[in-house]
Amino acid sequence: MSDSLSTIYGLILDLAAIGSFTIKPFSIFIIIYYTPKHLRITSYFILNEMIWNLAGNLLFTLGHPYPLLPAQCIRLDGIIAQFISSETIRHIFFLLILVTAVNCNIGLLTTFQFRYMAIAWKDIRTRVHVAWGYVYCILLHVICTAIFCYLQYNMRTTVEEYSQLDHLEHTNNVFCFKPSGWEKRLLMWSFFFSMIGFAATLLVFTLLCYAEFRKQEGQLEKKTLEMQRRVMRNLVIMTAVPVVLACFPLFMASLFIQFNEWPYAREVAAVSYMLVSNHGTVYSVLTLLLFQSYRRAAKTILDKCSSVVLRVVLKRKSPVVMTTKVMTIGYSSRRI
């Protein structure tokens, strides 16, 4: 079962990479060049999340971290595995993947924070310099990343020092974490509470935004209010994708890592990683579909590309058609 699961796992990650590197760069291009003025600030936060996710997918493409539960170890498969002989480098590589996931969540949080500020305090840009917004976001990313890296890196141990070697079938390309101790408890409980806090914060800012809409119903023009609501609705729908396809799977994977003796722990963790690797592609597609300006731009570009491809194909076929016609005429004339 583990061999077949490992094969399916690698195949799905490879397919996810194909989807990621065809759709995400296209989505990023559309957002950069076709964002209307009223969405410019919001687009920065969407780009922030997309770029972190693209970085995570790139790492997932190079190396496939496969969980070996009930052992608290991971086997690094994929292209990069044959070039990494050090356990420390494997730990760092896996840590970088987790860092991209952490920063994706932070990007989502800042999106709703600043969206609420833009709705509640329309003159905030005149009172506070925009540079402070960048400073706040950068510091939030750096501080959260540093805390997570410290907790995660303290969890590492060598394969030789791992106390449950009987759980491992082999140790090729394997790196392990401490199966017990305060480091594991601190990391796991910190992660659980951060996930709960993340969901609660998203919910609070979403409710605050809609409450602010109600408060401003008599103050704003109907068109402006409807536009703001539409943007907010799109953001909520887009956020549902990372929550369902990333946060929840990561929560489940962490739960089974904490209680690694539970049945099907390896399968649950592997499926969770597969879902996480695919959520960015769904997020990118939704972004293009939900916002009218992006949808129109994508349709225009795809129509132009398809027409160019069609012309090239027809141009290549036309000599063949002409040759066939000439041969047919020549054959007919000989018969006459």
Side-chain angles (χ1 to χ4, degrees), residues 21 31 51 56 58 60 65 82 96 107 177 184 187 197 199 204 228-229 231 233 246 272 277 282 289 312 332:
F21 291 108
I31 292 170
I51 291 170
L58 174 61
F60 250 118
Q82 57 186 320
L96 289 175
F177 300 94
K184 180 181 178 180
L187 177 63
V204 166
Q228 293 276 18
R229 280 179 173 166
V231 171
R233 183 179 65 245
S272 298
S277 69
V282 180
L289 291 177
V312 170
S332 301

Side-chain angles (χ1 to χ4, degrees), residues 234-253:
N234 291 344
L235 289 175
V236 170
I237 295 171
M238 288 164 57
T239 303
V241 174
V243 170
V244 174
L245 294 181
C247 294
F248 180 71
L250 283 175
F251 181 84
M252 292 301 296

